[in-house]
């Protein structure tokens, strides 16, 4: 599909995805890309109550089934949205600054604010602690909900791994070696878990780095930094799936890296005309969802880098989540299945009184003796007829042989 400024969908894009979009104005939208009209957008909340402080700053799934979405705003408000009910099931405020990270740990919502305050929402009293100032992103480990990672601006806010049960840091990354005795600038704009022990971070200063929390070394084990002065990259967001990292940039679209060798990127995703604000990967790893400040949401094929879908959303999108249609409708399908169960009620001995009465009232059909004899004679004649035909053919062959021999 060639680049264009209009909505478009590739005919080969057959996946049934639902996109949830959070915007700069605070609106929260849903787009079903598998519908007859794949560009139709539905606002999932009233837009009359939005103001300049309603900007959606972070969005995360609240459960492994992806039926719940946690939404954080610049006005410190956190909303829990149910995909099956298509309505908010909870609203509350946290901290004293905009929300930059959300997640669930042991059933409790964890929220991080830009001033470094982290709050674990518990009953009867929430747990609060500080991770330092200038916090840019907070994420919970999908494989171990007791682990949390943070990253931010300046060296004091370098990538740090936290234990939520003790609220203490269990791993703090170390900056790369000095150049001419000068400390290299740090701005971890986004951080993700590759797995339980591997952590990746991207920066506005043009690097993507990966850390291993198992060994004694705290410096990056893999990393990418552009050495071309004409290609000054600034990474804005990050996503991970398997052995691959996907990073959005401020000027050059998005790029993919292989974590086993990150000196060079392996894919470049084009078609963007602004900063990529959010990037996600579907569970299969075949499709890449992205939101851009040019007011478009896009879907690329993760391996072929082809642009498969593009939709204009009017407001600048800041956050994007994508789910499969089956995942969205899992709860509804289960309820419908329960309603469709049919129970057959009968007597204790397994019989049905209505059917027993109907069969008892039926007349017995008796075949007369004459008709039975005629039917049996017809069946016997059908069985004997092939044998007579064979005997006739054998007799004819013998007669012809005798004539030929002159007998």
């Amino acid at each position: 599909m060639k680049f264009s400024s209009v909505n478009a969908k590739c005919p080969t894009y057959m996946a049934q995805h639902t996109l949830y979009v959070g915007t700069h104005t605070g609106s929260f939208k849903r787009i079903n890309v598998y519908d007859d009209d794949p560009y139709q957008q539905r606002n999932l909340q009233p837009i009359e109550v939005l103001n300049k402080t309603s900007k959606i700053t972070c969005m995360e799934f609240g459960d492994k089934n992806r039926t719940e979405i946690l939404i954080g705003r610049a006005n410190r408000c956190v909303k829990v949205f149910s995909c099956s009910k298509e309505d908010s099931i909870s609203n509350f405020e946290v901290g004293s600054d905009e929300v930059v990270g959300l997640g669930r740990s042991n059933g409790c919502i964890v929220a991080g604010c830009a001033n470094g305050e982290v709050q674990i929402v518990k009953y009867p009293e929430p747990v609060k602690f500080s991770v330092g100032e200038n916090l840019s992103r907070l994420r919970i480990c999908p494989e171990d909900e007791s682990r949390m990672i943070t990253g931010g601006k300046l060296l004091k806010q370098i990538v740090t791994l936290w234990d939520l049960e003790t609220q203490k840091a269990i791993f703090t990354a170390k900056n790369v070696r000095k150049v001419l005795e000068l400390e290299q600038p740090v701005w971890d704009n986004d951080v993700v878990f590759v797995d339980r022990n591997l952590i990746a971070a991207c920066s506005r200063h043009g690097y993507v780095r990966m850390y291993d929390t198992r060994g004694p070394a705290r410096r990056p084990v893999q990393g990418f930094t552009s050495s071309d002065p004409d290609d000054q990259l600034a990474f804005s967001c990050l996503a991970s799936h398997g052995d691959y990292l996907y990073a959005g940039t401020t000027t050059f679209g998005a790029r993919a890296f292989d974590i086993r060798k990150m000196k060079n990127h392996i894919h470049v995703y084009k078609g963007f005309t602004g900063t990529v604000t959010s990037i996600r990967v579907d569970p299969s790893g075949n499709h890449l969802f992205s939101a851009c400040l040019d007011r478009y949401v896009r879907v690329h094929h993760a391996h072929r880098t082809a642009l498969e879908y593009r939709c204009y959303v009017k407001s600048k999108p800041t956050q994007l989540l994508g789910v499969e249609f089956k995942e969205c409708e899992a709860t509804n399908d289960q309820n419908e299945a329960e309603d469709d169960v049919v129970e057959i009620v009968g007597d204790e001995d397994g019989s049905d009184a209505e059917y027993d009465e109907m069969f008892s009232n039926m007349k017995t059909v008796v075949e007369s003796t004459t008709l039975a004899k005629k039917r049996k004679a017809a069946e016997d004649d059908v069985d004997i007829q092939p044998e007579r035909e064979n005997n006739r053919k054998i007799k004819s062959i013998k007669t012809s042989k005798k004539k030929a021999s002159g007998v």
Side-chain angles (χ1 to χ4, degrees):
M1 185 169 63
K2 296 183 179 180
F3 173 75
S4 176
S5 59
V6 297
N7 296 336
K9 182 180 178 181
C10 185
T12 60
Y13 177 43
M14 304 299 293
Q16 294 188 338
H17 288 137
T18 297
L19 303 181
Y20 292 94
V21 185
T23 67
H24 194 275
T25 59
S27 59
F28 180 55
K29 305 179 180 182
R30 185 198 66 192
I31 305 174
N32 292 330
V33 301
Y34 54 86
D35 280 347
D36 295 336
D37 184 3
Y39 316 111
Q40 184 179 7
Q41 304 164 32
R42 178 183 176 186
N43 287 313
L44 299 177
Q45 65 176 16
I47 60 176
E48 295 81 8
V49 299
L50 302 177
N51 52 45
K52 294 182 179 180
T53 63
S54 300
K55 173 185 176 182
I56 295 180
T57 54
C58 64
M59 281 172 45
E60 296 291 342
F61 289 113
D63 58 351
K64 295 182 179 179
N65 295 328
R66 302 192 174 197
T67 60
E68 182 182 86
I69 298 178
L70 307 178
I71 305 172
R73 300 181 181 273
N75 57 7
R76 304 180 294 113
C77 179
V78 175
K79 175 183 289 188
V80 183
F81 180 84
S82 174
C83 298
S84 58
K85 298 179 181 179
E86 291 192 348
D87 196 7
S88 300
I89 57 178
S90 178
N91 291 277
F92 56 91
E93 292 185 358
V94 294
S96 57
D97 206 342
E98 68 177 32
V99 183
V100 295
L102 288 169
R104 276 194 183 272
S105 176
N106 297 324
C108 301
I109 296 178
V110 181
C113 300
N115 59 1
E117 181 182 349
V118 178
Q119 181 172 328
I120 305 175
V121 182
K122 289 185 176 182
Y123 180 82
E125 290 294 332
V127 177
K128 300 180 180 180
F129 63 100
S130 178
V131 296
E133 298 179 353
N134 301 314
L135 181 64
S136 297
R137 185 63 65 194
L138 173 152
R139 292 188 190 271
I140 306 297
C141 179
E143 300 178 5
D144 187 354
E145 295 182 349
S146 64
R147 292 191 167 200
M148 177 186 72
I149 184 176
T150 59
K153 192 175 181 179
L154 303 179
L155 184 61
K156 292 183 179 180
Q157 209 37 275
I158 198 169
V159 175
T160 306
L161 180 65
W162 299 81
D163 187 349
L164 289 174
E165 295 180 355
T166 60
Q167 294 89 49
K168 293 182 179 181
I170 56 179
F171 173 84
T172 302
K174 193 174 182 180
N175 198 12
V176 295
R177 300 185 184 277
K178 297 181 180 180
V179 177
L180 299 176
E181 297 300 322
L182 296 176
E183 194 77 44
Q184 295 301 297
V186 173
W187 187 355
D188 296 319
N189 194 58
D190 199 359
V191 289
V192 295
F193 280 93
V194 179
D195 58 30
R196 187 178 183 275
N197 300 305
L198 295 178
I199 299 170
C202 68
S203 173
R204 292 278 184 174
H205 294 303
Y207 62 77
V208 178
R209 295 171 181 168
M210 192 174 66
Y211 304 87
D212 192 343
T213 62
R214 292 169 293 187
R218 295 188 296 158
R219 285 195 169 96
V221 294
Q222 290 284 352
F224 168 84
T225 303
S226 177
S227 58
D228 186 357
D230 297 330
D231 188 15
Q232 296 296 326
L233 293 178
F235 294 101
S236 56
C237 50
L238 195 63
S240 171
H241 186 276
D243 294 331
Y244 300 98
L245 289 175
Y246 302 91
T249 69
T250 58
T251 52
F252 294 96
R255 302 196 174 192
F257 301 90
D258 191 331
I259 63 175
R260 294 163 292 189
K261 189 176 182 181
M262 293 181 58
K263 291 185 178 180
N264 295 297
H265 58 266
I266 59 174
H267 295 309
V268 177
Y269 304 93
K270 300 179 180 180
F272 304 90
T273 57
T275 299
V276 181
T277 57
S278 180
I279 192 166
R280 305 282 179 168
V281 190
D282 78 322
S284 67
N286 295 325
H287 302 281
L288 192 68
F289 311 123
S290 59
C292 184
L293 288 183
D294 59 4
R295 292 182 169 85
Y296 279 91
V297 294
R298 295 176 173 87
V299 180
H300 285 82
H301 194 281
H303 307 301
R304 294 188 287 106
T305 72
L307 181 60
E308 298 180 312
Y309 174 82
R310 176 181 56 246
C311 181
Y312 185 77
V313 293
K314 297 182 180 180
S315 302
K316 295 179 181 179
T318 56
Q319 296 294 320
L320 176 67
L321 292 176
V323 295
E324 289 283 350
F325 170 72
K326 293 181 180 179
E327 295 178 359
C328 297
E329 302 295 333
T331 305
N332 292 337
D333 292 345
Q334 184 178 0
N335 293 336
E336 291 177 2
E338 292 177 356
D339 294 338
D340 292 340
V341 175
V342 178
E343 182 180 0
I344 300 175
V345 180
D347 296 338
E348 295 181 357
D349 58 352
S351 62
D352 192 313
E354 183 178 355
Y355 277 93
D356 291 344
E357 182 180 359
M358 181 180 67
F359 282 113
S360 62
N361 294 331
M362 286 185 177
K363 295 181 180 181
T364 304
V365 179
V366 180
E367 189 176 19
S368 62
T369 306
T370 306
L371 293 177
K373 289 181 179 181
K374 289 183 179 180
R375 180 171 55 81
K376 185 177 181 181
E379 292 177 354
D380 294 341
D381 185 63
V382 171
D383 295 336
I384 296 172
Q385 186 175 0
E387 185 177 355
R388 291 176 178 176
E389 185 67 24
N390 292 334
N391 294 336
R392 190 181 300 111
K393 289 181 180 180
I394 294 173
K395 186 176 182 181
S396 176
I397 293 172
K398 290 181 179 181
T399 306
S400 60
K401 286 183 178 181
K402 289 181 181 181
K403 292 180 179 180
S405 60
V407 178

